[in-house]
Amino acid sequence: SLCLISGISIAILWDENKPAGQSQNTSTLNQFSEAFEELKKREVITVGIMESFWQAVLNIFIFAWTPILQHTTTEKFNPGMVFITFVMLIIAGTKVYELVCIYLKGNLYLSLASGILVELIAFSVILVFPNNFMITYISLGIINGMCG
């Protein structure tokens, strides 16, 4: 309900909330129909599908890494520290990708294929050593870094 109240307030009070070149008299219904027309474009649908798959995999991973690591050890571990490490590795992976593809002008497809190959190797290592906490932790960290 708070979101609805905020949306109505913005629509009424926020004058600059109109696209460039559009008059102030354009109806809200017309604006929604233009927005839906944009959503029907192939590029927008493709990006939406890719983002949905990415978010699905990321959410599955977020819910899966804790039980995976718990299965590898009988000792207690700090899930907060593991999570922070994974987030830092995602950020580091983003910076490595930026360095390789943007600054060094690396091949986009080669870098993506290399990342997928590294992730497959890391997953394989987890399967080969299922009861080793440190190897599993490092492999999951590598997978996280490749996601960045």
Side-chain angles (χ1 to χ4, degrees):
S1 66
L2 184 61
C3 188
L4 182 64
I5 293 169
S6 299
I8 292 170
S9 300
I10 288 171
I12 294 171
L13 302 173
W14 195 3
D15 291 338
E16 65 270 7
N17 193 25
K18 307 282 186 229
Q22 193 177 56
S23 71
Q24 294 289 342
N25 297 331
T26 305
S27 72
T28 304
L29 186 59
N30 191 19
Q31 290 176 5
F32 274 111
S33 93
E34 288 177 16
F36 283 118
E37 288 302 317
E38 289 294 318
L39 291 175
K40 291 179 183 176
K41 291 183 178 177
R42 182 180 177 163
E43 296 85 4
V44 175
I45 291 171
T46 303
V47 168
I49 290 170
M50 289 171 50
E51 179 65 21
S52 297
F53 283 141
W54 163 252
Q55 289 297 329
V57 168
L58 190 62
N59 285 327
I60 290 169
F61 183 81
I62 286 172
F63 289 113
W65 68 259
T66 307
I68 290 171
L69 285 175
Q70 284 174 339
H71 177 72
T72 62
T73 184
T74 56
E75 299 176 18
K76 287 199 164 248
F77 67 95
N78 186 345
M81 184 61 92
V82 173
F83 178 75
I84 289 172
T85 306
F86 287 169
V87 170
M88 289 171 44
L89 287 168
I90 287 175
I91 294 168
T94 302
K95 291 301 176 186
V96 168
Y97 173 80
E98 184 180 312
L99 176 71
V100 169
C101 284
I102 297 173
Y103 295 119
L104 299 178
K105 308 247 187 283
N107 185 327
L108 171 68
Y109 297 109
L110 183 60
S111 66
L112 289 174
S114 301
I116 291 170
L117 180 64
V118 170
E119 285 187 350
L120 285 173
I121 292 169
F123 274 121
S124 300
V125 168
I126 292 172
L127 293 174
V128 172
F129 301 101
N131 296 323
N132 190 315
F133 176 81
M134 210 50 164
I135 290 176
T136 303
Y137 176 59
I138 291 169
S139 296
L140 290 174
I142 290 169
I143 292 166
N144 253 319
M146 292 295 114
C147 288

